[in-house]
Amino acid sequence: DAMPSMRNFLLAMVASAVSVGAYQPVSRRGWLGKVAAASGVAAAAAPAIVQAKELTLVPATTLYAEMIDLKALVGEGVKGNPVQRVVENSLVPLQRAMDKNPNNTPEASMNAAELKGHMIELAAAMAEPESAGYAPYLSKSQGKMYDGGKVERELEEVLETTVAYCKKMDCEQLFMAR
């Protein structure tokens, strides 16, 4: 009969919740093990443990601040994998959020597309052989020297484009999960 086994299962759930205590964190696996033990059910082969990545909501302004820090570090000589990691963890989600924002005006959508173009140029500069993209660079259009090379210059373009976007859209209210 299905009802007695369902009743036993529900009683086991309540018993395990009471025995665990109201405020003690318990993993799902641990809780299911207690339920199975309390109901007298032999535990089946346990599924493989899957570690889910915990995501947090981050406002666009935080990612923008991380890009400011990255530009400064590149100007001081940081290059290679550390730069790539920050680009992947900060700039990529920032651009994606700007691009996918359902409240975008046509001008804001244009800024998001422009940012993607700067990202392509940044990736090309970062990929130059023998770190040539990080070599000191004189911008003809700006008349300014960049100690961090073309990479630093492209990061400056990223920042300028993000500021232009955030003037049109409320970046304090633009969140992304990462």
Side-chain angles (χ1 to χ4, degrees), residues 58-140:
V58 181
T61 51
T62 299
L63 299 180
Y64 172 75
E66 291 171 5
M67 297 312 301
I68 291 172
D69 293 342
L70 178 62
K71 180 188 174 294
L73 290 170
V74 167
E76 294 170 4
V78 173
K79 55 181 123 177
N81 284 337
V83 177
Q84 183 63 38
R85 278 195 303 274
V86 174
V87 167
E88 288 171 3
N89 292 327
S90 300
L91 182 55
V92 170
L94 176 62
Q95 193 282 327
R96 190 177 311 124
M98 288 168 56
D99 188 48
K100 303 290 184 196
N101 185 353
N103 299 319
N104 276 349
T105 62
E107 296 83 15
S109 293
M110 187 67 119
N111 288 132
E114 185 180 341
L115 182 59
K116 190 163 193 131
H118 290 309
M119 290 172 63
I120 291 168
E121 293 174 8
L122 175 62
M126 289 169 51
E128 286 187 24
E130 298 175 20
S131 298
Y134 294 93
Y137 168 72
L138 177 63
S139 169
K140 294 176 184 107

Side-chain angles (χ1 to χ4, degrees), residues 6 19 26 32 37 41 51 53 58 73 79 88 105 112 118 139 172 176:
M6 178 58 95
S19 69
V26 176
L32 288 174
V41 174
Q51 295 294 329
K53 182 177 178 183
V58 181
L73 290 170
K79 55 181 123 177
E88 288 171 3
T105 62
H118 290 309
S139 169
E172 288 285 336
M176 64 261 2

Side-chain angles (χ1 to χ4, degrees), residues 163-174:
V163 166
Y165 179 89
C166 290
K167 284 182 179 177
K168 296 170 187 73
M169 307 302 295
D170 184 2
C171 288
E172 288 285 336
Q173 299 302 316
L174 181 60

